Amino acid sequence: TGQCYHTFRGHSAEIVCLSFNPQSTLLATGSMDTTAKLWDLEKGEEVATLNGHSAEIIALSFNTTGDRIITGSFDHTVAVWDVGTGRTKSLDLEATNKNATGKYELCEAAMQCCLCVQLWNAETGTHIATLAGHSKEVLDVCFDYAGQRIATASADGSARVYNAGTKQCIAKLEGHEDEISKVS
């Protein structure tokens, strides 16, 4: 119908990322104000504020079971939050997306002149692989819903698709004249 159900207010700076919880009515937002917020979509209310980053939150995503949220910040950390308690375990990474298969993998797209994506194990913090190929900064990264492919967007005007199992580039998507800032 195009009807607006709720307008959520509470961040003190721009909202730069959001994610819907796949198992509930929660929405998470990440902001330049260094916080993430959880919102109840049905009630139109703020549920929680996740504090802990010292710089802007630039990426966030729920896991497939909806009990964890992963945030990535310009403070060069990734935090894995328990949705119920708001507690976190910080990892020394930069931006993230949760693998939709439920495997605990993170993608890092370093927003400060990184031409590649790092793949990490979210439980152990162990580095898994480096996905390379872009000629300018990687600006966004995401897994497909099956967790079989990883897509990247870059300031070089291209997107790439990698096989999550083999870590090989399986498609180069070219044709934009300027940067691609988001991929889904």
Side-chain angles (χ1 to χ4, degrees):
T1 66
Q3 179 182 354
C4 177
Y5 289 103
H6 302 290
T7 300
F8 299 104
R9 299 187 196 290
H11 285 290
S12 62
E14 297 91 345
I15 295 169
V16 295
C17 52
L18 61 85
S19 180
F20 290 95
N21 188 315
Q23 303 298 328
S24 74
T25 61
L26 289 179
L27 171 74
T29 55
S31 173
M32 300 292 278
D33 68 8
T34 76
T35 68
K37 291 187 180 285
L38 300 178
W39 309 89
D40 185 304
L41 291 172
E42 289 182 352
K43 296 178 182 176
E45 299 173 348
E46 181 180 327
V47 175
T49 298
L50 306 178
N51 290 299
H53 287 292
S54 62
E56 300 90 333
I57 293 176
I58 56 169
L60 57 77
S61 182
F62 283 97
N63 65 351
T64 55
T65 56
D67 62 341
R68 300 274 188 268
I69 187 166
I70 302 169
T71 56
S73 171
F74 272 135
D75 67 9
H76 301 273
T77 65
V78 165
V80 180
W81 305 83
D82 181 290
V83 171
T85 66
R87 292 186 181 156
T88 182
K89 172 187 174 185
S90 292
L91 302 173
D92 187 19
L93 311 173
E94 289 181 321
T96 186
N97 194 304
K98 177 72 172 61
N99 184 330
T101 64
K103 294 180 182 175
Y104 288 93
E105 294 179 345
L106 300 173
C107 282
E108 168 192 347
M111 303 298 282
Q112 297 174 334
C113 300
C114 185
L115 308 180
C116 58
V117 172
Q118 304 297 330
L119 193 62
W120 302 85
N121 179 303
E123 290 185 329
T124 66
T126 305
H127 182 260
I128 297 170
T130 299
L131 309 178
H134 287 289
S135 62
K136 291 186 178 178
E137 299 90 352
V138 175
L139 301 175
D140 196 26
V141 60
C142 73
F143 282 93
D144 70 354
Y145 288 111
Q148 297 176 359
R149 292 179 295 264
I150 302 166
T152 61
S154 173
D156 67 11
S158 74
R160 292 177 185 261
V161 180
Y162 297 84
N163 178 301
T166 67
K167 316 305 185 261
Q168 298 298 309
C169 181
I170 57 175
K172 297 175 187 175
L173 310 174
E174 300 174 314
H176 286 283
E177 294 180 15
D178 207 346
E179 73 180 30
I180 301 172
S181 58
K182 292 290 178 189
V183 66
S184 179

